[in-house]
């Protein structure tokens, strides 16, 4: 099993969710996060004063899938989240040692 964490632009969330649903992903965790990479923030004008916005709003999607489904998930995320501009985000894939469904006690693949 693998955990896929994708950091994407907020306005792409609905498209990514639909693309993942189309390939059979039935569950995910989504968080509103802030951060920066190469974008390094930007300046904004508010009531005539310019100020620096260091952390940019992003959305973090977390999905745990069977190892066989990882490439399909990554492809779906890239195809729908990519704008070709700086700040499109990142995808991280890590190994999952154990999953337990709290309600039933099911473990690993049965708990996904």
């Amino acid at each position: 099993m693998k955990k896929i964490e994708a950091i994407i632009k907020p306005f792409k969330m609905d498209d990514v969710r639909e693309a993942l649903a189309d390939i059979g992903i039935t569950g995910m965790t989504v968080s509103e996060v802030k951060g920066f990479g190469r974008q390094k923030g930007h300046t904004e004008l508010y009531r005539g004063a310019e100020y620096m916005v260091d952390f940019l709003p992003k959305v973090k999607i977390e999905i745990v899938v069977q190892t066989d489904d990882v490439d399909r998930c990554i492809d779906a995320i890239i195809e729908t989240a990519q704008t070709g501009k700086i700040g499109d985000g990142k995808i991280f894939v890590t190994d999952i040692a154990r999953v337990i469904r709290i309600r039933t006690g099911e473990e690993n693949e049965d708990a996904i």
Side-chain angles (χ1 to χ4, degrees):
M1 292 176 296
K2 302 285 185 181
K3 179 179 182 181
I4 299 171
E5 294 179 67
I7 311 293
I8 62 170
K9 292 181 175 182
F11 69 91
K12 288 292 192 173
M13 180 59 227
D14 287 336
D15 294 339
V16 171
R17 183 186 50 79
E18 288 175 17
L20 290 169
D22 289 346
I23 63 168
I25 302 303
T26 57
M28 66 183 70
T29 300
V30 177
S31 308
E32 292 180 8
V33 296
K34 292 183 180 189
F36 69 90
R38 289 187 183 158
Q39 255 180 310
K40 296 191 173 91
H42 63 279
T43 57
E44 288 189 4
L45 200 61
Y46 179 72
R47 294 190 176 181
E50 192 173 281
Y51 66 98
M52 185 70 182
V53 178
D54 291 329
F55 293 99
L56 300 171
K58 300 288 182 181
V59 171
K60 179 178 173 181
I61 303 167
E62 297 174 89
I63 311 163
V64 176
V65 297
Q66 307 270 355
T67 302
D68 296 343
D69 295 331
V70 170
D71 289 334
R72 290 183 328 138
C73 290
I74 290 171
D75 291 343
I77 294 167
I78 290 172
E79 286 175 20
T80 52
Q82 188 176 56
T83 66
K85 296 183 178 151
I86 194 166
D88 275 350
K90 298 254 188 315
I91 299 173
F92 305 96
V93 180
T94 54
D95 291 322
I96 296 293
R98 189 174 177 195
V99 176
I100 302 154
R101 178 174 284 137
I102 295 171
R103 179 178 55 88
T104 63
E106 293 170 298
E107 293 197 27
N108 299 324
E109 286 82 9
D110 294 333
I112 295 181

